[in-house]
């Protein structure tokens, strides 16, 4: 099954079961200044869970485009390193707005995975929220799922390597306990079952999260019960595709193999098993869709996230020997492989290419020089730490977002003196204040503040902005 077939099969299954098929919303959440990007399938339905948006249906299904590259859910650092994380991915979901609850949600999940997709049952593992006896009993008694493969997991506050079975979109908003399904890719891959310290390996990969939406969390942390308990589920299209296409890593599925092959051909790289190729293939997807949804590279907020991703991809291309623009040329590959599912990609192709080419031109001017400075700094480095001043100079003068420098440091096994960087940054702020030079925004904190100018999604005016920028 191709990724396109799998998307269709998922939506058709839920449509047959009374769900309204809803088209993917844009990546800019409408009327939600608390959220950087749409990071889950439930985001466009947030108000349906809260009971303030009433629709003509109480069951929905979608394949929602998502970006996790900033804010509460940020997987940028994982890209290139894990088999399962992207900055851009599609989340398949089914939703109940006060209609059905846990029993039906788990039942549909089981039926789709084992009857329709025919996954081997013995490779599946399940988690439930520690206190959720109801969900536990549905799995153990109604489904007959072996209890030695069900783990109870708490909310693991602050633990980096543990599942978190209390799902929240952000710091506020609808949330609730969840139950997740994992797939065991086999003992030749490192990793442990969910709930163990080794779970963050890529052997047991989480495929589907069933969230039982029960609360609305407020700013002060209080949890108000929702008018009607609801269901929100999310399954990564690329992760289920990997399983159904008989491969381990998401980067081995049809979509990614095509993008990787096109990149390798363009850059004349022989070995396609290459981290930089994976990073570029990932980043061209998020960049295309972010631009499609009206974002352009800039020095703040969402635009800065796009700039960071673009420049990271460009740096990886140059590491592979790219001379001149290459990233914008990959838009064609995206149109080839994702244009059927997203016709807007083709319609906006030249705009997307133009925005990326402009960013490549801008960064090309400083990338080589910045790299030389960094290499020189690294060659006489003493304590395996890149100085904060260097990181700042690269940022300030050569347009290297700090995570780009951190990416290079990680590849070389080096640390960064972040305190030194902060100090240099603060000194710059002082100087800027003193000379009232407001030209550059040095506050690149990626959480949007509520006073943000952005008032929601306005596709047309965003497009106008993109076109204007191209003319500049
Ligand atoms: P993980 O623990 O693997 O990082 P998650 O628990 O953060 O995943 P959820 O927030 O539960 O993920 O999202 C629901 C589903 O979306 C996941 O089960 C997974 O299939 C998919 N998913 C989440 N993050 C990504 C990503 N960065 N790239 C691809 N798919 C993802
Ligand atoms: Mg995650
Ligand atoms: Mg998880
Ligand atoms: Mg999860």
């Amino acid at each position: 099954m191709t990724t396109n077939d799998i998307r269709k099969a998922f939506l058709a299954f839920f449509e047959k079961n009374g769900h309204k098929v809803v088209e993917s919303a844009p990546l800019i959440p409408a009327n939600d200044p608390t959220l950087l990007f749409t990071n889950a399938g439930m985001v466009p339905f947030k108000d349906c869970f809260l009971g303030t948006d009433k629709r003509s249906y109480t069951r929905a299904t979608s394949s929602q485009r998502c970006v996790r590259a900033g804010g509460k859910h940020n997987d940028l650092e994982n890209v290139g390193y894990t088999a399962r994380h992207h900055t851009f991915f599609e989340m398949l979901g089914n939703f109940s707005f006060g209609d059905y609850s846990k029993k039906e949600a788990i039942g549909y999940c089981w039926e789709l995975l084992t009857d329709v997709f025919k996954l081997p049952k013995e490779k599946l593992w399940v988690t439930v929220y520690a206190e959720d006896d109801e969900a536990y009993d549905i799995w153990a008694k109604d489904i007959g799922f072996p209890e030695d493969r069900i783990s109870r997991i708490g909310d693991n506050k602050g633990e980096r390597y543990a599942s978190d079975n209390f799902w929240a979109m952000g710091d506020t908003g609808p949330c609730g306990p969840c139950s997740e399904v994992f797939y065991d890719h086999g003992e030749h891959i490192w990793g442990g079952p969910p709930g163990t310290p080794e779970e963050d390996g890529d052997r047991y990969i989480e495929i589907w999260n069933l969230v039982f939406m029960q609360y609305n969390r407020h700013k002060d942390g209080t949890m108000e019960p929702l008018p009607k308990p609801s269901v929100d589920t999310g399954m990564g299209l690329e992760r289920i595709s990997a399983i159904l296409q008989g491969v381990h890593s998401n980067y081995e599925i049809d979509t990614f193999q095509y993008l990787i092959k096109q990149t390798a051909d363009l850059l004349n790289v022989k070995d396609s098993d290459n981290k930089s190729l994976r990073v570029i293939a990932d980043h061209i997807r998020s960049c295309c869709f972010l631009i499609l949804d009206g974002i352009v590279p800039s020095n703040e907020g969402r635009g800065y996230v796009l700039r960071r991703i673009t420049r990271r991809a460009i740096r990886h291309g140059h590491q592979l020997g790219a001379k001149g623009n290459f990233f914008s040329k990959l838009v064609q590959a995206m149109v080839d492989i994702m244009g059927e599912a997203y016709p807007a990609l083709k319609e906006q192709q030249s705009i997307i290419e133009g925005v990326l080419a402009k960013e490549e031109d801008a960064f090309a001017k400083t990338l080589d020089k910045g790299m030389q400075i960094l290499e020189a700094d690294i060659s006489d480095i003493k304590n395996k730490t890149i100085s904060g001043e260097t990181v700042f100079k690269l940022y300030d003068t050569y347009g290297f977002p700090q995570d780009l420098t951190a990416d290079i440091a990680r590849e070389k096994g080096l640390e960064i003196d972040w305190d030194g960087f902060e100090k240099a940054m603060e000194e710059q702020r002082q100087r800027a204040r003193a000379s009232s030079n407001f030209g550059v925004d040095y506050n690149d904190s990626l959480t949007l503040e509520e006073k943000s100018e952005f008032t929601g999604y306005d596709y047309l005016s965003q497009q106008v902005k993109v076109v204007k920028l191209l003319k500049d």
Side-chain angles (χ1 to χ4, degrees):
M1 276 174 114
T2 64
T3 300
N4 280 336
D5 296 336
I6 296 163
R7 187 194 297 105
K8 280 183 204 147
F10 181 95
L11 298 174
F13 173 82
F14 282 102
E15 188 173 32
K16 193 186 82 194
N17 285 292
H19 294 66
K20 162 100 181 143
V21 180
V22 178
E23 217 184 300
S24 171
L27 289 168
I28 315 287
N31 305 321
D32 192 345
T34 64
L35 196 61
L36 201 53
F37 299 116
T38 302
N39 58 14
M42 58 74 68
V43 170
F45 301 113
K46 184 180 161 188
D47 293 340
C48 301
F49 294 115
L50 296 176
T52 52
D53 180 354
K54 298 244 184 307
R55 308 218 176 162
S56 57
Y57 47 85
T58 54
R59 298 174 169 215
T61 182
S62 66
S63 178
Q64 174 63 48
R65 53 186 187 269
C66 296
V67 164
R68 293 192 174 182
K72 181 173 161 58
H73 294 275
N74 184 354
D75 287 325
L76 186 58
E77 315 291 322
N78 289 324
V79 171
Y81 291 93
T82 71
R84 67 187 201 278
H85 289 108
H86 306 300
T87 52
F88 171 92
F89 63 100
E90 285 176 83
M91 198 185 282
L92 302 165
N94 58 291
F95 309 92
S96 148
F97 312 120
D99 183 320
Y100 59 82
S101 192
K102 289 180 195 181
K103 196 175 156 74
E104 294 86 343
I106 293 173
Y108 286 141
C109 161
W110 187 246
E111 188 187 336
L112 182 66
L113 291 182
T114 60
D115 275 359
V116 181
F117 288 157
K118 307 237 179 300
L119 299 194
K121 294 177 182 161
E122 67 281 3
K123 294 202 174 174
L124 299 175
W125 289 66
V126 159
T127 66
V128 297
Y129 185 53
E131 291 150 36
D132 194 349
D133 293 334
E134 193 190 349
Y136 187 97
D137 287 344
I138 296 170
W139 280 112
K141 300 201 178 106
D142 299 355
I143 301 285
F145 197 90
E147 292 187 55
D148 56 356
R149 296 206 311 270
I150 309 180
S151 343
R152 289 176 181 266
I153 296 189
D155 38 21
N156 290 310
K157 293 198 175 61
E159 264 189 58
R160 166 76 177 78
Y161 288 110
S163 272
D164 175 342
N165 275 45
F166 197 89
W167 200 88
M169 171 196 87
D171 295 332
T172 59
C175 55
C178 65
S179 173
E180 298 192 315
V181 181
F182 287 68
Y183 184 84
D184 179 2
H185 279 269
E187 57 192 17
H188 57 293
I189 297 153
W190 185 82
T196 65
E198 295 78 33
E199 86 163 81
D200 216 26
D202 275 330
R203 173 172 170 184
Y204 298 84
I205 292 190
E206 177 189 325
I207 51 175
W208 204 343
N209 187 355
L210 315 177
V211 184
F212 310 121
M213 289 292 181
Q214 289 176 343
Y215 308 99
N216 182 18
R217 185 151 61 193
H218 295 285
K219 264 192 174 161
D220 61 4
T222 51
M223 307 242 278
E224 180 200 351
L226 290 177
K228 281 182 182 165
S230 295
V231 170
D232 145 39
T233 87
M235 171 155 69
L237 172 63
E238 300 76 6
R239 293 189 190 183
I240 185 69
S241 297
I243 297 171
L244 294 175
Q245 293 178 12
V247 295
H248 168 234
S249 161
N250 286 9
Y251 291 89
E252 294 170 85
I253 68 171
D254 50 1
T255 320
F256 274 97
Q257 280 304 297
Y258 184 77
L259 294 172
I260 288 173
K261 169 91 175 42
Q262 296 304 307
T263 312
D265 286 354
L266 189 66
L267 298 180
N268 213 358
V269 176
K270 296 283 170 283
D271 181 10
S272 63
D273 185 18
N274 177 304
K275 192 192 80 181
S276 289
L277 288 177
R278 292 197 294 277
V279 172
I280 294 167
D282 173 86
H283 288 10
I284 189 66
R285 299 203 328 153
S286 44
C287 291
C288 281
F289 280 101
L290 286 170
I291 297 168
L292 185 72
D293 283 341
I295 304 185
V296 291
S298 77
N299 278 338
E300 54 183 353
R302 294 176 175 126
Y304 194 55
V305 178
L306 173 59
R307 169 157 286 164
R308 289 163 63 208
I309 303 174
T310 313
R311 294 192 172 192
R312 244 179 197 242
I314 297 169
R315 202 279 299 180
H316 278 281
H318 282 255
Q319 194 174 7
L320 293 175
K323 302 267 177 287
N325 285 7
F326 73 96
F327 198 50
S328 48
K329 295 186 183 143
L330 292 172
V331 179
Q332 181 60 52
M334 277 295 289
V335 172
D336 299 342
I337 196 75
M338 295 194 73
E340 186 196 322
Y342 294 95
L345 277 174
K346 172 109 196 97
E347 288 152 24
Q348 306 292 330
Q349 179 173 358
S350 60
I351 288 186
I352 301 171
E353 285 168 345
V355 171
L356 290 180
K358 191 168 193 266
E359 187 68 6
E360 282 195 282
D361 289 342
F363 194 41
K365 294 199 185 96
T366 56
L367 174 62
D368 282 344
K369 189 86 188 62
M371 284 306 293
Q372 279 163 21
I373 288 176
L374 187 59
E375 296 293 347
D377 193 89
I378 287 173
S379 69
D380 67 6
I381 219 163
K382 297 208 172 57
N383 50 359
K384 291 199 129 230
T385 303
I386 302 176
S387 76
E389 264 163 54
T390 300
V391 182
F392 178 74
K393 195 189 326 168
L394 289 171
Y395 167 77
D396 191 48
T397 312
Y398 299 98
F400 281 44
Q402 63 232 48
D403 64 285
L404 190 157
T405 310
D407 192 34
I408 302 171
R410 183 173 170 185
E411 281 170 5
K412 298 185 187 284
L414 301 172
E415 301 290 323
I416 281 180
D417 172 15
W418 288 117
D419 290 342
F421 174 74
E422 273 308 317
K423 203 170 142 260
M425 194 84 146
E426 188 47 41
E427 283 164 11
Q428 172 67 24
R429 279 191 201 110
Q430 306 277 356
R431 282 197 298 274
R433 239 171 261 141
S435 64
S436 345
N437 172 2
F438 297 115
V440 187
D441 179 9
Y442 287 96
N443 176 16
D444 62 1
S445 126
L446 292 174
T447 35
L448 283 188
E449 295 182 1
E450 268 169 283
K451 63 175 166 38
S452 160
E453 282 169 46
F454 207 91
T455 51
Y457 180 70
D458 178 348
Y459 190 79
L460 264 182
S461 78
Q462 290 299 315
Q463 286 301 336
V464 171
K465 217 167 98 187
V466 174
V467 175
K468 255 182 69 189
L469 192 113
L470 280 173
K471 287 193 187 133
D472 283 350

